[in-house]
Amino acid sequence: MISKVFFDNIDAVAEEKELSREQVFEAFTQGLIAGCKKAHDVRSCRVELKEDKNEILVFTQHLVVDELSLDLDKNYSQMLLADAKKINSRIKVGDILEQKIDPKDFGHFAVRDFKSRLNESLVTSQKENLYNHFKSFEHEMINARVIDVQDDHYRLDIGKDLTTLLPKKEALPKDQFHVGDHVRVYVSDVEMKTKWPKVFVSRSHPSLIIRLLENYIPEIKDGIIEVMGISRDPGDRAKIGVKSNDSKVDPIGACVGEGGSRIREIVKALSDEKIDLFRWSDNEKELIANALQPAEVVAVTHVNPKEKSALAIVPDDQLSLAIGKLGQNVKLAVQACGWSIDIKSETMAQGEGILY
């Protein structure tokens, strides 16, 4: 069958469906095979598309046998050798006999099956492309637009005509988004579902801050500065340990930016979540002391590398700051640096006879 119109429209269909030419060809092929099977009551058909000649070739396929059997290849309809030889005198048992047919002769039910399989294949390819697109953003940050607000979630437009939900439990306490607002979210997981891919997003995930740091601080994206440890009470406070791989670059200064410009943008993106930056160190005592900032640490003692535990001594007037409200500062310090930290004031240490 010659069909110049079909080949001329391939690019238009591919663009409309956001598919490749190969995917459109494959969907059309699967549709023709389904129609052929229905029209000719066979189990197998073959399609060949010759774009250079604008030609569409469709063939029925039969397995040639000397006698009909239920034990042979069930992928093919069977044809007795005697009947097959009437079509091709050189055919022999075990060969596949192909007969060219014209899709224009498809009846109502064959056309129905053709259209159904064609659309099914197009949609399947669209789903696969959509899944692969968002899978490439898994564990990354994306921009989304709020299109609906409910009591327990925000509905977000994440592009490619796909929406997802940001549960309020995955949002930050101070998030107060309205329809039309743009928001940055972290893609925590992408799953293929029956209908369309499902993209799971979060604003409370610790890695959202890392992606924001990479976005606003070129030195982190380029690997000059590394994020070594991070802990977070989403929406309230985060503690981040950074180190520089270039002695000329101050990791804290680079992250804060001139006049606090960089860190200010990150805090704004997190609905005013406070961020404590501390300098990472390979020296355990320095690391622990830095992690407890903004509290001043007099000494770090009783360091046990095996159990990764230590005791920090702080001035009396710094004890509450070192521990933090409801123990938040020490908790975040422990999570960020990976050490178990006990804290005592100087008076407490002296009273217990602790030398430091």
Side-chain angles (χ1 to χ4, degrees), residues 151-154 166-173 201-204 234:
D151 291 340
D152 61 345
H153 69 265
Y154 297 100
L166 171 64
K168 292 287 181 74
K169 65 181 181 180
E170 292 292 336
L172 304 180
V201 298
S202 172
R203 280 178 52 78
S204 62

Side-chain angles (χ1 to χ4, degrees), residues 200-298:
F200 296 87
V201 298
S202 172
R203 280 178 52 78
S204 62
H205 198 288
S207 293
L208 176 62
I209 297 184
I210 296 178
R211 297 296 174 256
L212 284 167
L213 288 167
E214 292 171 345
N215 187 68
Y216 285 102
I217 304 167
E219 292 87 346
I220 289 181
K221 191 171 185 179
D222 294 340
I224 298 172
I225 295 174
E226 288 186 62
V227 176
M228 303 299 294
I230 182 169
S231 57
R232 189 180 182 198
D233 274 345
D236 188 13
R237 183 179 293 274
K239 193 176 284 283
I240 305 169
V242 292
K243 79 169 186 177
S244 176
N245 293 317
D246 186 338
S247 59
K248 298 177 182 178
V249 178
D250 172 27
I252 304 298
C255 291
V256 172
E258 186 176 353
S261 58
R262 290 176 171 178
I263 201 70
R264 192 182 303 119
E265 288 297 321
I266 297 170
V267 169
K268 180 181 177 182
L270 295 171
S271 298
D272 295 328
E273 181 174 322
K274 296 179 179 64
I275 296 178
D276 294 336
L277 296 167
F278 69 91
R279 189 184 302 271
W280 193 268
S281 175
D282 293 330
N283 181 290
E284 298 94 337
K285 293 184 177 181
E286 286 184 5
L287 174 63
I288 292 167
N290 293 345
L292 287 170
Q293 292 172 357
E296 176 188 342
V297 176
V298 174

